[in-house]
Amino acid sequence: MPELIAKSALAGHAPVTRLQTTLAEGSAAPITSVAPYPGRMDRVNAALAPLGLAFPAPNGQTRQGAARLIWTGRDQAFLIGAPAPDGLADHAALTDQTDGWAILTLTGPVAEATLMRPVPLDLRLGAFPPLRTVRAPLNHMQAILTRTAPDAFEIMVFRSMARTAWGELTEALEVLAARAQTA
Amino acid sequence: MRLTCPLCGERDRREFYYYGSEDYLNRPAPDAAPQAWDDYLHNRDNPAGVTRDLWYHDMGCSSWLVVTRNTVTHDILAVEAVADRKGGAA
Amino acid sequence: MRYSGLKVITEGLFGNKGWKPAWRDPAPKAEYDAIIIGGGGHGLSTAYYLAKNHGLTNIAVLEKGYLGSGNIGRNTTIVRANYFLQGNSEFYSHSMKLWEGLEIDLNYNVMHSQRGLINLFHSDGQRDAFVRRGNSMINQGDDAILLDREGVREMLPYLDFEQTRFPIYGGLYHPRGGTARHDAVAWGYARAADKRGVDLIQNCEVTGVDIENGRVTGVQTTRGAIKARKVGIVVAGRSSQVAAMAGMRLPIESHILQAFVTEGLKPVIDHVVSFGMGHFYISQSDKGGLVFGGDLDFYASYASRGNLPMVEHVMEAGMTLMPMIGRAKVLRSWGGIMDMSPDGSPIIDKTHVDGLFIDCGWNYGGFKAVPASGWCMAHLMATGESHPVAARFKLNRFATGHILDEEGTGSQHNLH
Amino acid sequence: MRLAGKGLIDRSTPVTFTFDGRSYQGYRGDTLASALLANDVRLVGRSFKYHRPRGILTAGSEEPNAMVEILEGNQQTPNVRATVQEVFDGLQARSQNRFPSLKFDLLGINNLAAPFLSAGFYYKTFMWPRPFWEKLYEPLIRRAAGLGSLSGRHDEAQYEKAWAFCDLLVIGSGPAGLMAAWTAAQAGADVILAEEDARMGGRLVSDNLRVDGQPGADWVEALLDDLKAMPNVRLMPRTTVTGAYDDGTYGALERVGLHRAPAPHLPRECFWRIVAGQTVLAAGALERPIAFPDNDRPGIMLASALRSYLHRYGVVPGNRITLIANNDAARATARDLMAAGVKVVAILDTRPDATALEDCPVYLNAQITGTAGHLGLTAITFRHAGGTATLETDCLAMSGGWNPTVHLTCHMNGRPLWREDIAAFIPAEGAVPRLTPAGACNGTFSTAGAFRDGLAAAHTALAALGRPAPDMALPMAEDAPYTITPFWQTPGVEGRQWLDFANDVTTKDVKLSAQENFRSVEHMKRYTTQGMAPDQGKNSNVAALAVLADATGRGIPQTGTTTFRPPFVPTSIAAMGAGGRGAGFAPQRFLTSDQASRDRGAPMIEAGLWYRPSYFPKPGEKTWLEACNREVTMVRESVGVSDVSTLGKIDIQGRDAARFLDLVYTNTFSTLPVGRVRYGLMLREDGHVLDDGTTARLAEHRYLMTTTTAAAGLVMRHLDFVHQAFCADWDVRFLSVTEAWAQFAIAGPRARDLLATLLGAAPDLPFMGVTDVSLGSTPARLFRISFSGEEGYELAVPTRYGEALFRDLVARAETMGGGPYGMEALNVLRIEKGFITHAEIHGRTTAFDIGMEKMVSAKKDCIGKAAAARPGMIGPDREQLVGLRASSAMTAGAHLFTPGDKVHRETDQGYITSVCWSPTLSAHLALAFVKDGRARHGTRIRVVDHLRKIDVLAEITDPVFHDKEGAKLRA
């Protein structure tokens, strides 16, 4: 059995830059869904402590070094960048999600404006500060959206929809560039 | 129309899936009379005014919500998570 | 006064001064043989057929607003008889036959136009479902033709056959399907009923239903009490409220359906086109406006107005299917209140109160049903028996599991 | 005619455009209307019904007459208001609704037939003979109706949709709007100022007004410079707020690229969704015409429009101008024109008691009784306090007073209120939550009043936002009272007096409607089509109401008003549907094997947003059926590989996972051993089948559920509901892993051999077993399940390895005489085996219907169990799943009849759901639902498909055709 070759969701898509803003494929591994069982949050947090993480509040994340735990929905967060610590599985359902998501990054001065085409959310800095993570639609797709810096976002969509997400964000960026050029 | 999801915050109506009256929460006992099942599945107060109905935060956190709202004015009066309601668990 | 082309010309020559009122404005009498609550399409046609088919003329239609102020005046005007299930197909077939003679019968041009309706399909599975439906239509004596992709292209060359998200495999063509001028249907029935002696009473809201010993005796209204031994509730959109006056809790949830019309355009769409995958249907009115709509707003509402998510969805559906309409501009949108039933089919039945009848639950298919609904409701009110073509529209069918669910989406009111 | 030195246009940038093929010059800053008037073009359109010659009435988006087609490449945009369209170099405009030319329009004959075309005439005729309606009358009407034309070609231009959020949305940038925006901006609020016009300022840039001693336009420029410098202010010119929706949501249409030549990726329009904490509506007011005989000739315009053309564009549309008005404000028109050196012939004031101040003849108690001029106004005849007179005039300015622009306040069912003193409707208080009207749209017509109103509205909004209001000085401006005496129509004259110009509705039509008892305002509107034209009655509704009130002897408040509905201005489908064209309508989902399948020439078909290979053609195969037959035989005889990753996969964990599955499935999963898989049937609560699939028990407290492709999302939502509604406290959690795993079916008698080469050893897995395996260092999961009826496995790997594994499996299969198979073969295989899909479980199917009623466990409750027991859900009257076998082709969708019966609805016995040619059994097979079908095995039934001309006999059989005992599965 030869080794199987891994392929990322957007392999072959070179970054796109318009108005100093770049759309690129990102990466994050491993991704483990952590879903605490009812009444076991204390023990979940105890198990997470060695990583320096705690279960995040809704729309938030906790991070320590390369490891982060981002809130992804009701009773659920994704542990990214570190394997699940021992003992966590006793108190939370753990599910490998590493391959389930395509990751896109959008960085630059018009990142916010670009996303406010397909995302029906108030992404103004005051309302959506860095390290905020939300579940939200990207047009007709479900997405996990994180502001990683004032001018940078990470967008996770179902892996099979990566090309649609890429196409829609590219179009939004192109349109903004054309608007800027003719303003 | 905007609903304030108890977890995600205020969101546009397009993020939610609508089911129907909160009657769907009051599942009769398996051996309840046929009339109880008929009422549960079909018959509705359907008020022109304040109602309580079920919404699902489909594009968000996957919470099922009970929304108290007015069917005439579209005012949203309250939103609570189905799972968090008192005595909600079977 | 009889309407005719000659009459239009002679009146025109004399300054149009001779036209008479289309209907009277009678004061309500103290008692009628029968009362119809609701002066919409279904109520007016019920009154008309009670008078015409059953000889009942001492009857009144009570309307809380103006005649035709409900969904008869707020719809996308589609007329079709293309149902799959027994119980529905014979009813709509009957309605189609009545449509086809309606102008002559009413002496009113309702502009019923059989320009043909095409239901597009986008997969083998959908094709099979439409074939199943088309065969039902033919078994019932109606018409249906299966079009392949090229057949659709020939009739609707403006569709996007190359890029659309859901490729067009073909369509079920229903040549007798079409449209009619919605307001004219209400006015035509109103005028014809009035002519047969029916009292059409506007601005008369029913506030109570009088019941004695399990039998209806009359109604309370904003214009006083009116007695009647037979009362028909025909108030789709408000059925739950009126039925509640008689102590009933209906299997109905009220929902908003938006529709849209564009500015007038020279003819581009000759048929009624229905795009099931995108919940989008469109036709072009004789005035030139594109009349189109989509799905419900999906939340229970009595507000007669909708919200943007469905507006945008409908427009996006139009753009993926027929991007040639992109530059047409939407002039007006509106919302009607739909009686949504748990299986998508209507109710024409007796109630637990003697002499009290109900006609409701038309979901968003009530317009085309106007003639047969009135015909069958009149039959029921006059004879006490269901008309054979409406025999399955029973109130208790949900309790017994005799469901008439064309879509197969189950007992969730807004999914039909 | 253009006046030197007047106007705000950019005279340094002349532009050339065409109208009806003729070339004209204008300046940047001109609208098409101002540029045409500057070139003395007065005739620009034809009316809808009578094809009357029409000119330009207004200077805004409410224009009912001057609508043109804009040509652009192979596209054309119909019904563009010349009063809104800005000119640019290369703009091509064309008049519409005329043939053969604007000056000579054949359908102008309609005008002569007008007595026979009165309101509602078509309801009274064209009924006989019946077939003539569709064949003759209707086609004639249709051809004559309509205004502009679409190109008929796909609109492939760029459009855009976007979101914006703000604390305060200010709609309109006249004095009230600017004051509100400025105040809120000073308070630190995030402000969006949306203005329909290309230039902000409202009447401040269209009238001769002074603010703080400066010309209005200069004051506006200075303020805009300040606003532009503020990071919390967003100015949105060319943006019309089109609709008010719930909870502070507004739709708005921005004209992004319509005022310039097209550029790549530059959207023509952007449809905004603006979410505002508070809103100030400062939409101004619309001047209204006056009805008098032949008041629709080119050259008859609104007085305020004349002032706009004068002050904004330096254009006067005539040489000898007359004014008719019923209010003081309009008389500034005459004064401004005279100040600019334009000849004003006379002022006609309809009021008997008005004063004469201007330096020109002023007639009081004046009423126009007629006008002359075929393609443009040449003269008017009128009566006045002192007699009658005729004046030669080529331009008549009229003002019937002002209607506050209340439209948005009606979008949420608010009904405006009649204010007698200004003879107009104003917004009802609280008509739109969180919206405060200010200025003219609220009935405050003076400039100073608008500033005051704007400030007050900002204070209201800021208070609601919890922000302190800054101290702001009110600018100094005119503060004249608004005085008006309503005058709607000239009484007691013959001749048609137009109300709704665009729809050709006259006062006679309204009176006729009342005469025929269409007395409700809604009846009148619908009967006459008053207010249903492109301007939606903006110019005419109030006057029509007054005429109706007069005809019925009621007052205006009692008569009521019709409802304004969104959009405020006609809004293109392409803008509101931006992104929907082509594939943008729904996300596309691609398998990891997608490219590999396409490389092999497989046509892809759409399934639940996914694209799946239909079949894999081999050289020499001419039809899909040849490929399909080969693939079926390949699976039956050797081994086939198929990507089944689209099936929904749900990871279910927790101590109550088993209990949870027992609740949602009809059958029992708590008894399933670890390492085994079971088929499960799921019902909706109403007792019909929701979905089916296999569920594996991976560990004591962990299951992996499989759903069908189509129902994956539905099932997830259902599980979430059952869990959160009925057992939120149970120890169970679940999550979709559909996307995390790529999964491939390996089916056929040589499946085990293939796996042996892959895994190094043949798998030792019982039928319906599951185990973890490794592919090199890649963890994988192997199921022994079959949807084909052969010995079958499904191998799942993390998605990133999917493509590699698919290519590898296919290569291995091919060395064994196998290969990939697609959806067509998959379908044949499952029909041969009698496995159902959503063709059979179509939403009306019960467990009883498909012969699975025994799978509804008697020992426990489950979702749907109670409802499934209703009498209508069971019994011989129901159509039951059977197999059909025939020697000639059957079709899905055919209906079934007992041989000998008449073919009719009433004798209908059922229908076919799935068909195939079975290469395995050399027979045509079908799955079907037949009344009491299980009792009819072995009997014959007639298959009738009228649509495809099929009429054959088939034998009713058990639905399982192939390997009934399942020996192959368990091999």
Side-chain angles (χ1 to χ4, degrees), chain C residues 355-387:
Chain C
L356 183 68
F357 306 88
I358 190 158
D359 175 310
C360 65
W362 291 98
N363 294 274
Y364 47 50
F367 178 66
K368 62 185 173 289
V370 162
S373 169
W375 185 283
C376 296
M377 183 67 171
H379 181 96
L380 177 67
M381 287 183 71
T383 67
E385 299 297 327
S386 288
H387 189 281

Side-chain angles (χ1 to χ4, degrees), chain A residues 70 72 78 101 133-136 142-146 154-156:
Chain A
I70 65 171
T72 54
F78 283 2
W101 299 85
T133 291
V134 298
R135 293 296 297 248
Q142 298 186 28
I144 301 168
L145 183 66
T146 300
E154 180 185 82
I155 306 120
M156 296 169 69

Side-chain angles (χ1 to χ4, degrees), chain D residues 116 123 165 477 492 542 814:
Chain D
F116 315 113
Y123 301 127
F165 291 77
V542 173
E814 284 178 331

Side-chain angles (χ1 to χ4, degrees), chain D residues 636 787-789 827-837 840 845 847-853 879-885 890 911 913-916 918 921 924-930 932-938 955-965:
Chain D
R636 294 272 179 247
F787 195 54
S788 62
N827 194 41
V828 173
L829 292 161
R830 69 98 190 169
I831 293 172
E832 289 179 340
K833 183 63 187 168
F835 285 141
I836 54 176
T837 67
E840 285 73 38
T845 313
F848 174 86
D849 298 344
I850 53 176
M852 293 191 188
E853 70 273 27
E879 292 153 344
Q880 301 162 357
L881 183 72
V882 297
L884 299 182
R885 188 177 187 133
M890 298 175 284
Y911 54 91
T913 51
S914 303
V915 295
C916 72
S918 166
L921 303 171
H924 293 279
L925 306 181
L927 296 177
F929 285 99
V930 177
D932 204 17
R934 286 193 283 277
R936 296 165 80 164
H937 288 187
E955 184 196 344
I956 299 179
T957 72
D958 186 273
V960 184
F961 302 96
H962 174 72
D963 187 28
K964 227 164 253 167
E965 293 70 36

